Amino acid sequence: MAGAGLLLWCGIMLLPSAASAQDGSVILEADVDGRPVGVGNLVLDPSQTAKISVTVRNNTNTPQRVKTVRISGTALALTFFAYDTTVPFDVPAKSSETRSFPLEPTDLGSQAIGLLPVTVEVIDVQRESIASVETTGDVRGSLWSVYGAFGLGVLVLTALSWAGALIALARRRLPANRWQRAMRFLPAGIGTGLIAVISLSVLRLVAPSPTAEIPFIIGAAAAAFVLGYVTPHPGEQRPPSEMDTVRIQR
């Protein structure tokens, strides 16, 4: 009985490993105009038709039903463009299928510009992602696109925040509490960090990503917070100088 119990316990312990080995995964490979996605920057030009090719490798024991191929670009947790192309096909278990289709991003110029994280993914009939591959896209759009206008809007709001805080400092109208004065400068610092991230993206220097966004935003916010914290108390009187002293001769 003890031996049978030991064998049963060993079998239970081995079941999850066997199941995970059999489950496998679904892998997506894609290329645009013959260039693999993930190797270098993916150039997206609104004036040119791109040929998209996707290969789905189904390493699971269940067939996968692909309905849509989606190409999307995001920045700062916002999606600025997305193209869904209906390409229905089935991928049997332990096999792979390849499909190709043209993509005409004619309206891409009014949606984004610069370097943006781009995701290519295949979606099933339940609108759930089966597999995806990520890369950096070089979007040849207009400065007046949605992404460009978003950056200009952030620039205007940041300038207004700095102007309001500095004018209040000059007129000695900041709160008497240091923490409240620091919080008055904080939105301007956050806006400055966002402007830096968007500017580097539009200038095609650095694509927005958590590793690039967080240091710029947190660093600029911290600098503005400290600046507001060390500003002088609005009720403090500055010591008189020689220019303020008037001598009256007897």
Side-chain angles (χ1 to χ4, degrees):
M1 294 294 294
L6 181 60
L7 289 175
L8 179 61
W9 180 82
C10 292
I12 293 175
M13 293 298 294
L14 289 174
L15 277 177
S17 299
S20 61
Q22 292 177 359
D23 286 344
S25 60
V26 181
I27 300 175
L28 174 64
E29 298 175 358
D31 64 75
V32 178
D33 294 330
R35 185 171 185 177
V37 173
V39 179
N41 294 340
L42 173 61
V43 178
L44 296 175
D45 192 340
S47 62
Q48 297 180 359
T49 301
K51 181 181 180 181
I52 312 297
S53 178
V54 294
T55 300
V56 180
R57 302 187 184 279
N58 184 9
N59 298 323
T60 67
N61 293 326
T62 58
Q64 302 291 331
R65 303 194 65 182
V66 178
K67 181 181 180 181
T68 306
V69 178
R70 173 176 296 170
I71 301 176
S72 59
T74 61
L76 302 170
L78 299 174
T79 301
F80 287 94
F81 68 88
Y83 292 95
D84 287 1
T85 304
T86 302
V87 188
F89 62 95
D90 295 337
V91 185
K94 304 298 182 180
S95 64
S96 62
E97 292 289 336
T98 301
R99 293 293 186 277
S100 300
F101 59 92
L103 177 67
E104 297 182 1
T106 54
D107 57 343
L108 184 60
S110 61
Q111 295 177 347
I113 181 177
L115 299 181
L116 290 176
V118 174
T119 302
V120 181
E121 58 184 333
V122 286
I123 301 174
D124 61 13
V125 293
Q126 283 80 30
R127 307 296 297 175
E128 295 182 358
S129 179
I130 299 176
S132 63
V133 59
E134 297 180 353
T135 186
T136 299
D138 183 359
V139 183
R140 305 297 174 86
S142 170
L143 182 61
W144 303 107
S145 60
V146 175
Y147 185 58
F150 173 76
L152 293 175
V154 174
L155 176 62
V156 172
L157 293 177
T158 303
L160 292 176
S161 297
W162 277 115
L166 294 177
I167 290 174
L169 173 64
R171 294 181 176 179
R172 297 181 177 273
R173 294 182 179 178
L174 289 175
N177 185 278
R178 285 187 178 274
W179 294 102
Q180 292 180 356
R181 296 202 300 272
M183 293 300 296
R184 180 68 183 271
F185 280 77
L186 184 61
I190 295 176
T192 303
L194 290 174
I195 291 174
V197 172
I198 298 174
S199 298
L200 291 175
S201 171
V202 172
L203 295 175
R204 295 180 173 87
L205 297 176
V206 179
S209 65
T211 56
E213 297 167 4
I214 295 176
F216 280 109
I217 296 175
I218 293 182
F225 187 88
V226 172
L227 177 62
Y229 186 84
V230 299
T231 52
H233 191 285
E236 293 177 352
Q237 298 293 332
R238 62 185 180 88
S241 62
E242 295 182 358
M243 299 298 296
D244 299 328
T245 304
V246 177
R247 292 190 178 185
I248 302 177
Q249 298 199 8
R250 298 176 59 181

